[in-house]
Amino acid sequence: SRRCGLAAGRSYSGGGAYPSVSLICPLPGVPKAVFAAAESREGFETRVTVLENGLRVASQNKFGQFCTVGILVNSGSRHEAKYLSGISHFLEKLAFSSTAQFGSKDEILLTLEKHGGICDCQASRDTIMYAVSADARGLDTVVNLLADVTLQPRLSDEEIEMTRMAIRFELEDLNMRPDPEPLLTEMIHAAAFRDNTVGLNRFCPVENTDKINRDVLHSYLSSYYTPDRMVLAGVGIEHEHLVDCARKYLLGVQPVWGSGQGKAVDRSVAQYTGGIIKVEKDMSDVSLGPTPIPELTHIMIGLESCSFLEDDFIPFAVLNMMMGGGGSFSAGGPGKGMFTRLYLNVLNRHHWMYNATSYHHSYEDTGLLCIHASADPKQVREMVEIITREFILMAGAVGEVELERAKTQLKSMLMMNLESRPVIFEDVGRQVLATNTRKLPHELCALISQVKPADIKRVVTKMLHKKPAVAALGDLTDLPTYEHIQAALSSKDGRLPRLYRLFR
């Protein structure tokens, strides 16, 4: 009792005397603190409402002055099998141009500026996303604008011509930039899913830029821009307010292209083929100047994984995090925190490799786990051998420490990404578009925690039974044949002497 009582006064430099009270006891004369607490989890769950026309409205509470709202459409380059390739690329560039209500892009930007807003459109293989971040008090204006941009675009001849020029410039830049990852990603998808679904080109081919016009775009839009293929998602707003705005601006609206019922919708399921795509290219011209980047050959090897709807998606995500990797600049060895397999087994042991990075692409009906590596053209044969060996070693023993580290890294990355409001918006929209519901972060973390070494071995064994997909860019004089790469990956024992015999 004496410990928490008033002790002798202690003199401070300010001249006053304060009682010495232990920090484990309440301060005398100070009211008891009342801490804020969440009354229930319901306020933080994603709410989904389906309107009469099939449009889904999804929202997530995130308190603050600003909100992110957008429309996601189940449409992308994978749906262009019956159309000219490149339509989604065109729609991405044409987004937020003139509409029935707004005479120009500048008028749209000025309208958003009144609410401190910015806009963006992104087209991927399976989704086109129109998004706006603005003051939450301008929600009515934002939803009105999004509805107009999505359903009432003018697609004037001048705008289409400007889009053609922008796409041609982007394609030239794609082939000249020092970072070849976007090009290799296109190549590995084309090799893995040859001429079908996610293997179709995400970028508009040069020869199609002059062929795509308003009629072609309207034909495509009438099939894919239907309410049942859309989600209006919002983060940072009241759900009922968003539903009211959706009813006001998106219910019973006649699109500019008419009332199509999606007769030409492509419902093909991805067919994994495997194979190789090679592009012989002089990489010495991508970085001119007094200190040019070394001329490198880039290889990407991939195997089919699984859909994000399958239970094995989480083990594959953990496996991808366990492989990790990156650029050789960060491969500084112990002390730099680089503990993933591609750092420890590849970059730290082979100083001549410039990069070794694992990627996992997952879609509604398939997936692709791949490793990108780059080195001097003279080292290509050995580089391919090392990467194929890493694929085989995935099926071996998984250390408890490295698995726990990978699971912790994955959970950490997930939670840090979901600190950002636009990322939450995209997560809400994509999950509801694919599954009509959303798994919350704590549910995903629980699934990650349940992954065992046996789960990793099971998914890898299933993956190694498939033919590999290979993308090769640069000087390919010493590249092993596709048959050699396939034979090496089919080696179940993974013994190094056998790999040496295959590649020599």
Side-chain angles (χ1 to χ4, degrees):
S1 61
R2 179 173 176 77
R3 186 178 177 189
C4 292
L6 295 177
R10 183 181 296 172
S11 181
Y12 291 86
S13 58
Y18 292 91
S20 177
V21 179
S22 170
L23 292 178
I24 65 173
C25 301
L27 292 172
V30 177
K32 186 177 179 181
V34 179
F35 296 99
E39 294 180 1
S40 68
R41 192 180 292 276
E42 291 178 6
F44 302 94
E45 291 182 352
T46 302
R47 296 181 61 188
V48 180
T49 299
V50 183
L51 301 188
E52 291 82 350
N53 61 355
L55 176 79
R56 286 156 286 179
V57 182
S59 72
Q60 175 76 41
N61 270 341
K62 184 174 175 65
F63 304 104
Q65 182 180 352
F66 284 83
C67 65
T68 299
V69 182
I71 293 176
L72 293 91
V73 188
N74 185 8
S75 160
S77 58
R78 69 169 295 165
H79 300 106
E80 294 173 359
K82 300 176 183 178
Y83 294 89
L84 287 170
S85 177
I87 291 177
S88 299
H89 195 186
F90 256 78
L91 291 172
E92 178 187 64
K93 299 298 179 190
L94 283 164
F96 295 99
S97 297
S98 64
T99 68
Q101 291 184 45
F102 301 93
S104 67
K105 187 164 195 167
D106 289 341
E107 197 174 322
I108 289 176
L109 295 178
L110 284 171
T111 302
L112 287 175
E113 195 175 291
K114 294 175 185 176
H115 301 283
I118 56 173
C119 60
D120 186 30
C121 178
Q122 294 180 9
S124 62
R125 287 185 158 77
D126 53 1
T127 311
I128 295 181
M129 179 175 63
Y130 301 81
V132 170
S133 287
D135 192 303
R137 290 171 293 185
L139 180 63
D140 198 273
T141 302
V142 167
V143 176
N144 179 28
L145 189 151
L146 283 166
D148 217 42
V149 164
T150 310
L151 301 176
Q152 305 285 337
R154 285 186 182 171
L155 305 180
S156 68
D157 293 338
E158 183 183 356
E159 288 167 347
I160 291 175
E161 188 55 43
M162 291 294 290
T163 299
R164 289 188 182 119
M165 293 171 61
I167 286 175
R168 290 189 193 111
F169 177 81
E170 186 175 345
L171 293 175
E172 287 180 18
D173 178 66
L174 194 67
N175 288 309
M176 292 173 61
R177 60 195 298 178
D179 176 22
E181 190 203 323
L183 208 55
L184 281 165
T185 302
E186 289 304 304
M187 292 167 63
I188 196 73
H189 278 82
F193 306 92
R194 191 174 291 273
D195 299 327
N196 77 91
T197 58
V198 294
L200 300 178
N201 200 336
R202 192 169 68 86
F203 298 104
C204 180
V206 178
E207 63 271 16
N208 284 357
T209 52
D210 289 325
K211 297 176 184 177
I212 295 176
N213 53 37
R214 188 189 296 109
D215 292 338
V216 172
L217 293 171
H218 277 182
S219 174
Y220 180 86
L221 290 166
S222 66
S223 293
Y224 289 97
Y225 277 45
T226 54
D228 58 302
R229 299 180 66 86
M230 293 182 181
V231 169
L232 173 66
V235 176
I237 35 81
E238 290 293 331
H239 183 72
E240 297 305 328
H241 190 185
L242 185 62
V243 171
D244 290 342
C245 290
R247 290 185 182 279
K248 185 176 179 181
Y249 298 111
L250 288 161
L251 193 60
V253 177
Q254 179 78 358
V256 70
W257 50 83
S259 55
Q261 296 300 318
K263 295 177 182 177
V265 170
D266 181 11
R267 305 188 187 280
S268 304
V269 176
Q271 302 297 313
Y272 181 82
T273 60
I276 185 168
I277 289 184
K278 299 186 289 185
V279 176
E280 290 271 2
K281 185 178 178 184
D282 180 7
M283 301 296 287
S284 62
D285 62 348
V286 296
S287 56
L288 304 175
T291 55
I293 296 174
E295 179 183 350
L296 301 176
T297 294
H298 301 270
I299 304 295
M300 193 175 274
I301 300 176
L303 291 164
E304 187 181 22
S305 58
C306 74
S307 155
F308 58 69
L309 299 176
E310 296 179 45
D311 293 338
D312 284 342
F313 171 69
I314 298 295
F316 268 117
V318 174
L319 171 64
N320 179 57
M321 191 61 65
M322 195 168 69
M323 297 306 295
S328 60
F329 178 78
S330 297
K336 293 195 74 174
M338 304 300 178
F339 288 104
T340 61
R341 284 193 180 186
L342 291 179
Y343 272 124
L344 293 177
N345 301 345
V346 178
L347 293 171
N348 283 345
R349 296 186 182 185
H350 306 284
H351 64 89
W352 45 268
M353 287 189 69
Y354 283 77
N355 174 62
T357 312
S358 176
Y359 297 95
H360 186 218
H361 307 278
S362 196
Y363 305 97
E364 197 170 343
D365 51 0
T366 188
L368 191 65
L369 182 78
C370 45
I371 295 177
H372 167 210
S374 51
D376 187 273
K378 296 177 183 177
Q379 306 278 6
V380 169
R381 188 171 292 271
E382 193 173 354
M383 174 173 66
V384 173
E385 174 193 320
I386 289 166
I387 296 305
T388 52
R389 182 180 63 196
E390 286 306 311
F391 269 108
I392 294 167
L393 291 176
M394 288 180 192
V398 177
E400 197 64 40
V401 172
E402 71 168 341
L403 180 61
E404 287 303 315
R405 181 183 290 121
K407 289 176 356 185
T408 303
Q409 281 182 303
L410 183 59
K411 287 187 278 191
S412 173
M413 185 182 73
L414 172 70
M415 300 307 291
M416 284 193 293
N417 285 342
L418 290 175
E419 287 289 314
S420 167
R421 189 182 62 253
V423 175
I424 300 174
F425 155 76
E426 187 172 349
D427 183 49
V428 169
R430 285 183 177 276
Q431 286 203 50
V432 172
L433 193 64
T435 66
N436 297 320
T437 185
R438 180 187 180 225
K439 277 192 172 72
L440 293 175
H442 70 274
E443 297 177 82
L444 293 172
C445 287
L447 292 172
I448 293 168
S449 297
Q450 293 169 13
V451 175
K452 300 288 189 293
D455 298 322
I456 301 294
K457 187 164 186 176
R458 185 189 73 255
V459 298
V460 171
T461 303
K462 184 171 70 172
M463 182 176 67
L464 287 174
H465 284 304
K466 304 290 180 71
K467 290 171 59 178
V470 182
L473 177 68
D475 181 352
L476 308 178
T477 308
D478 294 331
L479 179 71
T481 66
Y482 178 75
E483 289 72 22
H484 282 161
I485 298 172
Q486 186 177 1
L489 282 170
S490 67
S491 170
K492 298 300 184 291
D493 53 14
R495 286 180 297 180
L496 199 56
R498 180 175 177 183
L499 290 177
Y500 271 112
R501 286 200 300 274
L502 283 168
F503 285 107
R504 297 296 183 271

